[in-house]
Amino acid sequence: MKGADNAVIVLAGMIGAGKSTYTKLISDALGSEAFYESVDDNRILEKFYEDPKRWAFSLQIYFLNTRFRSIKDALQHQNNVLDRSIYEDALFTKINFEEGNMSDAEMDTYLDLLDNMMEELASMPKKSPDLLIYLRGSLDTVLSRIKKRGRSFEQIDGNQDLLNYYTHLHSRYDGWFEEYDQSPTLVIDIDNHDLENPADAEKVIALINETLKNVR
């Protein structure tokens, strides 16, 4: 079902929105390479969930570095799907700052580094993705999917602070998306699409193919 040659597609959305699942579906259908954000190789992520104030800055620098490397590779090879990208990275950092997990100095350092990286991307022959797909869904849907995938450190049972973090992050995603201006966009309502249903999966791929045709 290959309808898009040499397209760089990035996924965006809440923790638990299904970005990795969508990435595999899209990359398989379009015959492109998938870039996944590895959880197993991340030595800081679980520590962040245990002690956000100690590890938030380290985690955001880790993510910024890995996402910068991924988007550079993707823009160079020009036929990829990324399950998360550098473009939404600052949202997570701002939420951590607002939650009191990062200091003013750490926030300023992060933003300065991000600006430096974005300037380098602007100098590349291909400067931005062809399409950003925002997986939008209710908080109930993403919490259900977080529970279903079963990573122990992501679970909210008995952890009101973590639920507050998810709620805060979720409340800001639509605002982030409205300000995103690096590429054409497509919104997929994950409340009404279940990729385990083949008909829904086919509908999603057809929508992406049609969108890519239109933006070109």
Side-chain angles (χ1 to χ4, degrees), residues 21-22 25 145 148 192-205:
T21 303
Y22 273 82
L25 172 74
R145 293 186 178 187
K148 183 177 179 180
N192 295 313
H193 291 87
D194 180 2
L195 295 191
E196 293 181 2
N197 180 343
D200 281 356
E202 287 187 16
K203 187 191 305 182
V204 165
I205 293 303

Side-chain angles (χ1 to χ4, degrees), residues 50-110:
E50 293 171 356
D51 188 354
K53 287 180 170 55
R54 166 65 180 85
W55 292 103
F57 179 69
S58 298
L59 180 66
Q60 292 308 146
I61 294 299
Y62 173 90
F63 277 138
L64 184 61
N65 184 47
T66 57
R67 290 166 185 166
F68 180 57
R69 182 180 297 115
S70 292
I71 194 64
K72 282 198 304 179
D73 289 345
L75 293 176
Q76 181 176 353
H77 296 109
Q78 302 187 23
N79 189 31
N80 311 275
V81 185
L82 286 78
D83 72 344
R84 195 187 290 284
S85 73
I86 196 171
Y87 301 106
E88 63 187 305
D89 194 74
L91 173 61
F92 285 80
T93 309
K94 289 174 182 175
I95 295 298
N96 271 305
F97 176 69
E98 292 170 5
E99 293 273 314
N101 297 331
M102 289 171 53
S103 68
D104 290 345
E106 289 172 329
M107 187 68 199
D108 290 344
T109 299
Y110 170 88

Side-chain angles (χ1 to χ4, degrees), residues 12-194:
M14 263 293 289
I15 298 163
K19 294 177 296 299
S20 296
T21 303
Y22 273 82
T23 294
K24 176 170 175 51
L25 172 74
I26 297 165
S27 64
D28 287 349
L30 302 185
S32 57
E33 182 179 358
F35 283 69
Y36 296 103
E37 188 171 79
S38 175
V39 173
D40 294 337
D41 294 339
N42 188 334
R43 296 179 294 172
I44 303 174
L45 184 59
E46 192 166 350
K47 294 179 180 179
F48 164 76
Y49 279 92
E50 293 171 356
D51 188 354
K53 287 180 170 55
R54 166 65 180 85
W55 292 103
F57 179 69
S58 298
L59 180 66
Q60 292 308 146
I61 294 299
Y62 173 90
F63 277 138
L64 184 61
N65 184 47
T66 57
R67 290 166 185 166
F68 180 57
R69 182 180 297 115
S70 292
I71 194 64
K72 282 198 304 179
D73 289 345
L75 293 176
Q76 181 176 353
H77 296 109
Q78 302 187 23
N79 189 31
N80 311 275
V81 185
L82 286 78
D83 72 344
R84 195 187 290 284
S85 73
I86 196 171
Y87 301 106
E88 63 187 305
D89 194 74
L91 173 61
F92 285 80
T93 309
K94 289 174 182 175
I95 295 298
N96 271 305
F97 176 69
E98 292 170 5
E99 293 273 314
N101 297 331
M102 289 171 53
S103 68
D104 290 345
E106 289 172 329
M107 187 68 199
D108 290 344
T109 299
Y110 170 88
L111 291 174
D112 188 51
L113 182 57
L114 176 61
D115 286 345
N116 196 12
M117 290 177 170
M118 296 305 290
E119 287 177 7
E120 183 168 337
L121 293 181
S123 69
M124 296 182 65
K126 185 178 182 69
K127 305 179 189 308
S128 62
D130 295 286
L131 182 67
L132 177 136
I133 300 173
Y134 174 31
L135 303 180
R136 176 190 280 151
S138 67
L139 182 61
D140 285 345
T141 293
V142 297
L143 291 178
S144 174
R145 293 186 178 187
I146 288 170
K147 184 174 183 178
K148 183 177 179 180
R149 74 180 176 190
R151 292 176 189 156
S152 59
F153 56 88
E154 291 182 339
Q155 304 308 309
I156 61 172
D157 294 341
N159 191 340
Q160 185 64 42
D161 288 342
L162 183 55
L163 175 58
N164 292 343
Y165 171 75
Y166 287 152
T167 302
H168 189 181
L169 180 61
H170 183 269
S171 73
R172 296 286 296 279
Y173 247 102
D174 281 354
W176 167 81
F177 178 68
E178 289 170 4
E179 294 180 358
Y180 173 81
D181 61 359
Q182 298 294 316
S183 71
T185 60
L186 171 65
V187 177
I188 294 177
D189 182 354
I190 63 171
D191 293 340
N192 295 313
H193 291 87
D194 180 2

